[in-house]
Amino acid sequence: MTEAVFHPPRRKKRVYESYDSPFPICGSDYRICQAEIINNNVIVKNPEDIEQLYSKGFFGKGILSRSQPAYNISDPVLVAKWQDVKSNMPIISSKKYHFHVEWAKSLMREQGLDDCTINTTILNYTEPLNLKQEAEQNSELQTEETTEDEPKLLVTSAETNGKKVSCLEGALYDPLAEYGSNDSDEASFKTVAKIHSANSCPFGSHHSCIQDDSMKQESHSVTSKEYNHEYVLVEEEESDLCLEEETSEELNLMKSKKLVFRKNPFRIFEYLQLSLEEAFFLVYALGCLSVYYNEVPFSVLKLWRFFSDVQPNFRTVYMAYHYFRCKGWVPKVGLKYAADLLLYRKGPPFYHASYSVIAELVVGDDFERSSQRPFSWKTLCGLNRTTANVSKELIVNRWVSSRERTEQEEL
């Protein structure tokens, strides 16, 4: 018989996060987070609870992200293209902004508004804004108010003969222009970026915890009741006829692009989704989560019954989850690799999954297996091959029970 060989966990080459200590059982840092059941899924909406649950144990995943809830509306290609702008605000394309406008119109139609009212409201809400004026009006350090007739600021990027030229359009007078300094423009961008609110816009929104990790940008949302808009920079195209050189008589078509400062009419927020095993572990083992259903909190026994009805093999999978969590592993859902759980050392940001776990419950004196997952040599070989192809090892975790137990005995 072949001897089992266990390999050490493989550490990821690129790690962008720092390891934080797990949840404390007691102490000053102890707090109870709140989640709710929506369509048989456990969802966490509070941004503070999302950060707490994911950073201290890597519980759950973002509904719009692969793992960490770090969804960002910005286009990475445009952010790299306009890196000289030095703005903390999200940069999106005009096509993507058009989608947000259409989503906002659709949401307003569901509210029973007529098309004339919708078009007028959307047009007034999405009109280009004056970046400098918005920054000076919303900054807490403002000392003087700006004049109403100040022209709007447009950051443009023109491509001529393969060379990109960045410039500012629309400003009739810039006191720092003659000195070759653009500190005032950078300050305006940073000031506006820091006063954006996390509240929803008047057209409705999908909530999310927006935090830019890959771009290393500061968060453009702060919890302030004074402001209730999200601002974005939209890249728009324009075509102008101009002379390339004074001595040239030919007119060349120069394609130029500009960043226009607008309000986002349809905000997208990201939630944290917990698996049933993760949610019950936080409620039962750590006592740091309270789960609500229709605004009514669930007790531990009610939550156990509810999860058992939703997921037939919940009891078996949770026993395996609880066991490996207590051993220091970070179990995650293994549905992608036809398994019940995946085991990570420290967490998904630091190591690749080492093991795929199949949890089974054996009941009775004759050790009769459950019929929820019928195994044959063919299916077992296929599962083992799938696990080996992704550099993992298969663990068949069997829980032996001499008799059927009541819910109280299982807990």
Side-chain angles (χ1 to χ4, degrees), residues 97 101 104-105 108 111 113-127 202-203 263 265:
Y97 187 79
V101 172
K105 290 182 178 179
M108 296 178 69
Q111 299 175 357
L113 300 178
D114 58 290
D115 292 341
C116 182
T117 304
I118 292 175
N119 295 332
T120 304
T121 305
I122 290 292
L123 184 62
N124 294 334
Y125 190 83
T126 59
E127 62 181 3
F203 305 109
K263 295 179 184 178

Side-chain angles (χ1 to χ4, degrees), residues 290-361:
S290 180
V291 180
Y292 288 77
Y293 182 71
N294 292 334
E295 301 182 356
V296 178
F298 266 11
S299 63
V300 176
L301 187 58
K302 287 184 178 180
L303 199 63
W304 177 266
R305 293 173 179 172
F306 182 83
F307 288 167
S308 299
D309 295 337
V310 172
Q311 183 175 318
N313 63 336
F314 167 74
R315 302 182 181 185
T316 307
V317 177
Y318 176 75
M319 287 189 288
Y321 181 93
H322 191 110
Y323 174 80
F324 288 111
R325 262 288 182 183
C326 294
K327 292 296 182 180
W329 293 95
V330 178
K332 305 296 288 186
V333 177
L335 184 61
K336 183 177 181 180
Y337 301 110
D340 294 321
L341 297 173
L342 295 177
L343 300 184
Y344 293 85
R345 182 177 184 266
K346 295 179 68 174
F350 307 102
Y351 287 88
H352 295 279
S354 301
Y355 302 100
S356 298
V357 179
I358 299 295
E360 286 188 333
L361 181 62

Side-chain angles (χ1 to χ4, degrees), residues 14-61:
R14 299 179 181 179
V15 178
Y16 302 100
E17 299 183 23
S18 58
Y19 182 74
D20 197 0
S21 59
F23 264 106
I25 302 300
C26 59
S28 58
D29 295 335
Y30 178 79
R31 57 172 295 177
I32 298 179
C33 302
Q34 183 175 339
E36 60 179 299
I37 299 176
I38 302 177
N39 296 331
N40 297 334
N41 297 311
V42 183
I43 304 297
V44 181
K45 295 183 177 181
N46 189 356
E48 296 180 358
D49 294 344
I50 292 175
E51 181 180 1
Q52 183 86 350
L53 292 173
Y54 190 84
S55 62
K56 295 184 179 296
F58 303 100
F59 292 95
K61 69 172 294 293

Side-chain angles (χ1 to χ4, degrees), residues 1-2 8 23 60 69 93 116 126 137 146 152 160-161 195 217 265 269 274 313 351 355 379 402 404 410:
M1 184 176 180
T2 305
F23 264 106
S93 62
C116 182
T126 59
Q137 289 180 355
T146 58
K152 62 184 179 182
T160 306
N161 295 332
I195 53 85
Q217 296 178 337
F269 289 96
L274 299 172
N313 63 336
Y351 287 88
Y355 302 100
T379 57
S402 59
E404 291 287 348
E410 289 179 348

Side-chain angles (χ1 to χ4, degrees), residues 281-294:
F281 183 83
L282 292 170
V283 174
Y284 173 69
L286 299 182
C288 60
L289 181 68
S290 180
V291 180
Y292 288 77
Y293 182 71
N294 292 334

Side-chain angles (χ1 to χ4, degrees), residues 212-225:
D212 190 4
D213 182 34
S214 59
M215 308 305 167
K216 297 182 180 179
Q217 296 178 337
E218 298 178 7
S219 175
H220 55 271
S221 298
V222 294
T223 55
S224 173
K225 296 182 179 180

